[in-house]
Amino acid sequence: MDLKGLTIKKFSEGLKKKEFSTEEGVNAFIKTIEEKNSELNAFLKFDLEVHKERALEKAKELDKTIAAGKPVGKLAGVGLGIKDVILIEGTRATASSKILEKYTASYDATVIRKLKDADALFLGKTNLDEFAMGSSTENSAFGVTKNPYDTNLVAGGSSGGSAAAVASDMVLGALGSDTGGSIRQPAAFCGVVGLKPTYGAVSRYGLMAMASSLDQIGPFGKTVEDAAILFSKIAGNDPYDATSYAIDYKNITEPDFKEIKNLTIGVPDEYFVEGLEKEVGDEIHRVIEELKSQGFKFKKISLPHTKYALSCYYIVQPAEVSTNLSRFDGIRYGTREKAKNLLELYKKDKSEGFGPESKHRIILGTFVLSSGYYDAYYNKAQRVRALIKQDFDEAFKDVDVVLTPVTPTLPFKIGEKTMDPLQMYLSDIFTVPANLAGIPGISIPVKGRVGKLPVGFQLMAPRWREADILGIGMYYERN
Ligand code: GLN
C-alpha cells in the first residue's frame, strides 16, 4: 500500500471498494513510522508499541465487521497521530515534559472518544514543545522534531510532531492544539493543512490545560477536505467542557461552492509588515491573485490593534500557564523526589521536572498576576484583548473572511532561534490574534512550490464560520 499523498478521503473510498483491508493499512502506517521516525522524531517512543498493538487489534476487529457485511465508522482504519497533551486512556501522556514522563492517562479525552466511535486508529502520541509552549518543538524534553522537507530545519511548533507525521505520510491525519498558532504554524512549515477551530467548537476535556481561554484542539490533514472530515468528527457540545458549544456543522465536508464563491475576502495591511520575508509575502500575493482570477472578491481592511497582539498574548498566556501548571506539584503529578519536607519536594520536583521555557513562563505569569502589577499588566492586557476582538468584529461587517500569511518566515534552522526568545515569539505574530479573538483560522499550503520549502496562507472567519474558510480552502485546492 502506497501512503505517499494518500488522503483520508481516498483511503476510505479504497476501503469501501475492498482494495485493501484495514489490517493492511495499519501495517503500512507501522512500516512507515519504523522507517522514518528515528530520523524525524515526530512520534514519542513511549508506548509506541502499545499503540501499534491496539491499532492492529482494532483493525482485525474492523476487518471482521466488514467481512460480515456490517457497517463501520466513517473513519474506519484511518491512522492518526495524537499530540501528547491529549489523553488516551491507559497510555502515557507526557506533554513532552520530564515532570510527566511516567504519567499514564486514566481516561479518554472527548475528542479521542469521538474518534474511537468513528473507528479511527491511533498510531501513537506526537512530540511537542513542553506543555505546548514554543514554536519549533525544540522545547521538548525528548528531542526536537525535524522537518520532513529538510532535516536541518525545524518542523515548527508546538504541534511539530503532528505536522511532521502527516507530512511524512506516517499517518493520514493528526490532532494538535493551538493556543497561539501551534497548529497553523507547524502546518505551514511542513506543507500540510492545520485548522484551529472557534474557541468552544471542540471540547477541551482531556486536553492538558495550558492557557485555558486560548487553547483549542484541531485537526491536521494533507488536504483541506481531510481537515474538514476530522473536524466534523471532533466538533460539538460536551457536558464535560462548559465552554463547548453545539453548532450545526452539517455539510461542512461538502460545501456549496456557489455560495462560497460569493464570499468577500479581506486583506489587512497590518499583516504585511517589516519582518515578513519577501518570499513568503510574494507567495501570499500569488494566492490572492489566483483567488481573484477564480472570481473571488477582495477588499483592503484594517485591523489596527494587530501590533499589540503579541505583547498582549505574552501577558495573558503566561498568566494562565502559571495557574494551570501549578497542579504539577510533585505530589499528584511528578517524580516525587526524596525530600525532607514539602517545600523541598516542590523545589526538587519543579526544578528538575520543568524545562527552561516552562519556568520562564511560570515566573512571568506569576509576576503579571501579582497584586502590585495585576492592573498594570494583566488587566491592561485583557482590555487590549477586547480591542483586538473588536477589530475583527468591525472587519467582519465588511468582509466574510480574512486572508493573511501564517508565519513571517520560511521554516528556520534547528538551533537558529533558541537563544533569542523574542525572535522565536515573533513566529506567531500572525497567528495569536485569532486565539485572542476566539475565531477560527486555517493554514493552507500555497500550491506549486515543487522542490521548494512550503509556505502557508491563513484564512480567518467569524466565530462558528469554519465552513467558509474550509470551503474557500477546498475550492483553492481543487481548482
Ligand atoms: N508559540 C506560542 C507559544 O509559545 C503558541 C503555542 C501554542 O499555540 N500552543 O506560546
Side-chain angles (χ1 to χ4, degrees):
M1 174 182 255
D2 187 10
L3 294 180
K4 183 128 190 64
L6 184 66
T7 61
I8 295 175
K9 174 85 183 205
K10 285 191 213 139
F11 178 91
S12 302
E13 283 166 2
L15 189 68
K16 218 175 255 163
K17 288 191 212 139
K18 301 207 162 52
E19 285 166 12
F20 46 79
S21 65
T22 50
E23 192 179 347
E24 279 171 78
V26 177
N27 282 321
F29 301 133
I30 294 175
K31 189 166 158 261
T32 315
I33 293 171
E34 279 165 2
E35 276 165 16
K36 297 186 177 173
N37 197 53
S38 54
E39 177 163 33
L40 297 178
N41 198 32
F43 280 100
L44 292 168
K45 61 180 191 312
F46 313 108
D47 287 354
L48 204 48
E49 286 306 314
V50 177
H51 290 291
K52 283 180 197 168
E53 270 165 40
R54 284 187 179 191
L56 266 172
E57 197 179 308
K58 172 85 185 172
K60 284 181 188 149
E61 252 173 55
L62 285 170
D63 284 336
K64 273 190 208 149
T65 313
I66 294 170
K70 290 190 208 135
V72 286
K74 176 137 195 230
L75 295 176
V78 170
L80 301 176
I82 304 295
K83 186 179 185 179
D84 204 23
V85 276
I86 297 170
L87 309 186
I88 301 181
E89 184 268 320
T91 67
R92 297 269 273 284
T94 69
S96 287
S97 177
K98 265 188 75 179
I99 208 160
L100 288 176
E101 192 169 355
K102 302 213 166 71
Y103 175 68
T104 297
S106 53
Y107 65 96
D108 278 334
T110 297
V111 288
I112 295 300
R113 192 178 43 70
K114 289 185 172 210
L115 292 171
K116 280 184 177 173
D117 288 346
D119 288 332
L121 307 175
F122 309 117
L123 271 302
K125 304 300 282 295
T126 55
N127 197 13
L128 63 142
D129 288 291
E130 182 177 27
F131 285 105
M133 285 180 270
S135 308
S136 64
T137 323
E138 290 167 294
N139 296 335
S140 167
F142 309 118
V144 65
T145 295
K146 295 179 178 167
N147 192 311
Y149 279 82
D150 177 343
T151 50
N152 295 308
L153 307 179
V154 299
S158 65
S159 317
S162 290
V166 175
S168 60
D169 299 300
M170 295 190 213
V171 275
L172 300 177
L175 291 188
S177 62
D178 189 312
T179 305
S182 278
I183 292 176
R184 290 161 288 160
Q185 187 257 22
F189 277 10
C190 292
V192 295
V193 175
L195 171 71
K196 181 209 95 74
T198 306
Y199 184 77
V202 177
S203 166
R204 289 178 293 114
Y205 181 69
L207 166 72
M208 286 184 207
M210 189 256 258
S212 308
S213 77
L214 302 159
D215 299 338
Q216 260 299 281
I217 295 176
F220 286 90
K222 292 183 204 172
T223 59
V224 178
E225 185 173 24
D226 277 6
I229 293 172
L230 289 176
F231 174 63
S232 71
K233 287 291 158 210
I234 59 173
N237 172 250
D238 176 13
Y240 293 120
D241 175 1
T243 63
S244 70
Y245 202 75
I247 287 287
D248 186 3
Y249 283 117
K250 244 199 338 254
N251 299 336
I252 199 151
T253 56
E254 281 151 26
D256 176 349
F257 288 120
K258 262 205 233 96
E259 271 173 35
I260 293 293
K261 287 293 289 285
N262 279 328
L263 299 174
T264 303
I265 304 174
V267 180
D269 276 343
E270 291 83 356
Y271 282 66
F272 295 83
V273 284
E274 204 197 309
L276 173 65
E277 263 175 22
K278 184 171 180 308
E279 189 172 347
V280 178
D282 287 350
E283 286 299 53
I284 304 304
H285 284 113
R286 203 159 62 78
V287 173
I288 295 173
E289 288 316 313
E290 185 173 340
L291 288 170
K292 272 186 189 163
S293 74
Q294 289 171 350
F296 283 96
K297 288 181 290 299
F298 275 83
K299 249 189 188 174
K300 257 189 186 303
I301 55 162
S302 174
L303 297 164
H305 296 94
T306 303
K307 57 178 177 291
Y308 304 116
L310 205 61
S311 332
C312 170
Y313 175 84
Y314 276 101
I315 292 174
V316 175
Q317 189 268 1
E320 295 186 17
V321 163
S322 80
T323 48
N324 271 325
L325 266 53
S326 65
R327 66 171 63 86
F328 303 107
D329 56 5
I331 297 191
R332 283 169 303 171
Y333 304 99
T335 46
R336 265 213 200 206
E337 300 294 328
K338 273 207 165 50
K340 285 198 294 290
N341 54 43
L342 190 63
L343 193 63
E344 196 183 295
L345 176 75
Y346 281 175
K347 277 188 185 159
K348 271 193 168 169
D349 252 79
K350 293 199 184 217
S351 28
E352 278 153 45
F354 286 130
E357 186 63 24
S358 299
K359 286 178 189 159
H360 179 107
R361 307 252 185 135
I362 292 168
I363 293 169
L364 202 67
T366 309
F367 175 77
V368 300
L369 288 176
S370 60
S371 63
Y373 295 97
Y374 188 92
D375 278 332
Y377 293 106
Y378 185 71
N379 258 348
K380 194 184 253 173
Q382 291 293 19
R383 274 183 253 134
V384 173
R385 183 176 185 176
L387 292 174
I388 288 163
K389 191 172 169 296
Q390 215 175 67
D391 279 358
F392 281 105
D393 291 344
E394 285 303 313
F396 287 133
K397 287 180 185 161
D398 238 18
V399 296
D400 299 295
V401 305
V402 172
L403 190 152
T404 72
V406 180
T407 59
T409 68
L410 292 167
F412 46 86
K413 284 207 180 72
I414 292 170
E416 188 181 319
K417 299 191 185 202
T418 38
M419 298 317 280
D420 189 347
L422 197 59
Q423 279 306 315
M424 189 70 92
Y425 295 173
L426 280 167
S427 286
D428 303 305
I429 190 160
F430 302 140
T431 47
V432 294
N435 301 76
L436 291 167
I439 61 173
I442 191 169
S443 171
I444 301 171
V446 175
K447 290 187 290 191
R449 286 186 58 81
V450 186
K452 295 186 199 148
L453 291 173
V455 170
F457 70 97
Q458 174 170 236
L459 293 170
M460 294 179 273
R463 290 166 73 82
W464 320 116
R465 294 305 310 163
E466 278 83 353
D468 295 344
I469 51 179
L470 290 165
I472 297 177
M474 277 187 246
Y475 191 87
Y476 171 79
E477 82 188 356
R478 284 179 200 179
N479 292 279

